[in-house]
């Protein structure tokens, strides 16, 4: 029996609230035993870790068997968490890029072993050498790119959001280090770490580059956000899912925004709402969804 857990958490203060929500859609004894264990553990975990809220979905063999919601979606207003509360789902966004690329492969719009420069409006060269970087290299995180902070920046208005291709063209100008991130001695990320194909190295920038390739290669010339919405999220019937170019109110559907959870972080010993941060490399981590989606 294969089980899949999807867990989304709003970090912060608080504990379980009254009116926690559960939806059980199974009579399987093993599933029910697991659900009961989780239903006992999660409220205790929220209290011990000072987490205001959490929602969760449990699926077996592609069938949803349970949804649960605990605590608060917003600790200040005591807005209760529900199974339809939407979360910023971080790197869970990355599989959308892979699916989009493989759809375009199936349609004959590109090939996995095509050099990425075939599709990009800028040139990418690994200074450590190796063969030309291919789409397959990006999909398997073997391009030689290092880790980075997803070109994160504080954002408030849609008119300040740079197009994905434009931002990545700027990012690739840094051959040995990316743009500054803070003021300490390690304020630069090492952009390239090894020759092409040498070994696996998780890369946000590599996945974002796949997003540009999707934009350039899809026959409809859809933006990455629109392609993912039309050809993946909508086709799967994902009710409250979106991949906006930035996670700000202007760019998020109203029905999703009103269901969005509030995140928290520790600052000077106090728990405060997380600042509005957008990912310039948003295909690597810019999706919104519920656990059931």
């Amino acid at each position: 029996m294969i089980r899949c857990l999807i867990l989304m958490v709003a970090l912060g203060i608080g504990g379980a609230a009254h009116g926690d929500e559960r939806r059980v859609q199974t009579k399987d004894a093993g599933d029910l035993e697991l659900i009961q264990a989780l239903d006992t553990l999660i409220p205790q975990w929220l209290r011990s870790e000072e987490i205001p809220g959490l929602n969760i979905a449990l699926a077996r063999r592609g069938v949803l068997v349970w949804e649960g919601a605990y605590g608060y979606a917003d600790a200040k207003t005591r807005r209760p968490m529900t199974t339809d509360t939407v979360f910023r789902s971080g790197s869970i966004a990355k599989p959308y890029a892979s699916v989009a690329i493989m759809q375009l492969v199936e349609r004959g719009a590109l090939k996995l072993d095509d050099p990425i420069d075939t599709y990009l409006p800028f040139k990418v060269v690994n200074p450590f050498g190796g063969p030309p970087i291919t789409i397959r290299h990006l999909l398997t995180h073997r391009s030689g790119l290092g880790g980075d902070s997803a070109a994160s920046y504080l954002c408030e208005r849609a008119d300040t959001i740079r197009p994905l291709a434009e931002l990545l063209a700027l990012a690739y100008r840094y051959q040995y280090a990316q743009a500054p991130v803070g003021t300490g001695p390690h304020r630069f990320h090492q952009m390239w770490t090894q020759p092409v194909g040498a070994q696996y190295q998780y890369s946000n920038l590599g996945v974002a580059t796949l997003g540009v390739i999707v934009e350039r290669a899809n026959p409809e010339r859809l933006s990455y956000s629109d392609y993912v919405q039309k050809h993946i999220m909508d086709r799967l019937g994902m009710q409250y899912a979106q991949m906006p170019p930035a996670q700000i109110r202007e760019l998020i559907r109203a029905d999703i925004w009103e269901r969005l959870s509030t995140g928290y972080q520790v600052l000077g010993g106090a728990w405060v709402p997380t600042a509005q941060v957008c990912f310039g490399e948003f295909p690597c981590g810019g999706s919104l969804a519920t656990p059931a989606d």
Side-chain angles (χ1 to χ4, degrees):
M1 183 180 294
I2 298 175
R3 293 188 176 91
C4 173
L5 287 175
I6 300 176
L7 190 76
M8 296 182 177
V9 182
L11 294 178
I13 59 173
H18 296 295
D20 292 344
E21 183 181 6
R22 287 86 165 167
R23 296 178 185 174
V24 179
Q25 304 174 55
T26 180
K27 296 182 179 179
D28 180 86
D31 289 341
L32 293 173
E33 183 178 357
L34 177 58
I35 290 167
Q36 183 178 6
L38 290 168
D39 201 30
T40 300
L41 173 65
I42 289 172
Q44 297 174 8
W45 184 51
L46 295 184
R47 287 191 293 270
S48 66
E49 299 299 321
E50 295 188 313
I51 295 171
L54 172 155
N55 60 3
I56 181 173
L58 173 65
R60 177 169 54 83
R61 296 173 183 165
V63 177
L64 195 65
V65 298
W66 176 60
E67 296 173 79
Y70 303 83
Y72 302 106
D74 186 285
K76 180 179 179 180
T77 64
R78 294 298 191 260
R79 175 164 56 96
M81 184 71 67
T82 74
T83 55
D84 289 334
T85 296
V86 175
F87 277 79
R88 298 169 174 86
S89 53
S91 287
I92 293 175
K94 287 182 170 66
Y96 294 116
S98 301
V99 171
I101 288 290
M102 296 308 294
Q103 286 179 341
L104 294 174
V105 169
E106 288 180 338
R107 294 169 188 162
L110 51 77
K111 297 178 181 178
L112 289 180
D113 293 312
D114 285 343
I116 62 174
D117 285 343
T118 304
Y119 303 96
L120 297 176
F122 48 82
K123 193 169 182 61
V124 178
V125 177
N126 183 333
F128 290 100
I133 299 171
T134 65
I135 294 172
R136 189 187 301 271
H137 285 133
L138 294 184
L139 283 169
T140 57
H141 295 264
R142 300 178 70 88
S143 65
L145 284 167
D148 70 352
S149 58
S152 301
Y153 60 99
L154 297 176
C155 56
E156 296 180 352
R157 305 190 320 274
D159 60 5
T160 65
I161 308 304
R162 286 183 171 180
L164 180 61
E166 179 183 311
L167 187 141
L168 294 199
L170 180 63
Y172 277 111
R173 288 173 53 192
Y174 296 90
Q175 285 296 299
Y176 291 97
Q178 289 189 334
V181 285
T183 58
H186 304 294
R187 64 194 183 104
F188 288 95
H189 291 291
Q190 187 175 356
M191 182 164 183
W192 299 97
T193 62
Q194 58 205 323
V196 178
Q199 66 182 43
Y200 171 89
Q201 169 64 57
Y202 188 84
S203 172
N204 288 322
L205 181 56
V207 175
T209 305
L210 291 173
V212 176
I213 293 172
V214 170
E215 291 186 337
R216 305 277 291 187
N218 80 82
E220 300 161 277
R221 292 297 185 264
L222 296 172
S223 69
Y224 181 76
S225 296
D226 290 343
Y227 183 93
V228 169
Q229 191 72 51
K230 179 178 180 179
H231 291 286
I232 302 177
M233 291 175 169
D234 289 349
R235 288 180 63 182
L236 289 172
M238 300 174 74
Q239 189 174 7
Y240 300 119
Q242 192 178 358
M243 175 75 77
Q247 296 176 352
I248 59 176
R249 188 166 192 163
E250 291 177 77
L251 301 177
I252 296 174
R253 283 179 11 218
D255 61 329
I256 292 178
W257 182 265
E258 68 184 16
R259 289 172 170 82
L260 199 60
S261 65
T262 300
Y264 297 87
Q265 64 185 25
V266 178
L267 184 63
W271 290 92
V272 296
T274 306
Q276 177 63 61
V277 176
C278 294
F279 297 146
E281 300 166 13
F282 73 93
C284 78
S287 63
L288 304 167
T290 65
D293 284 333

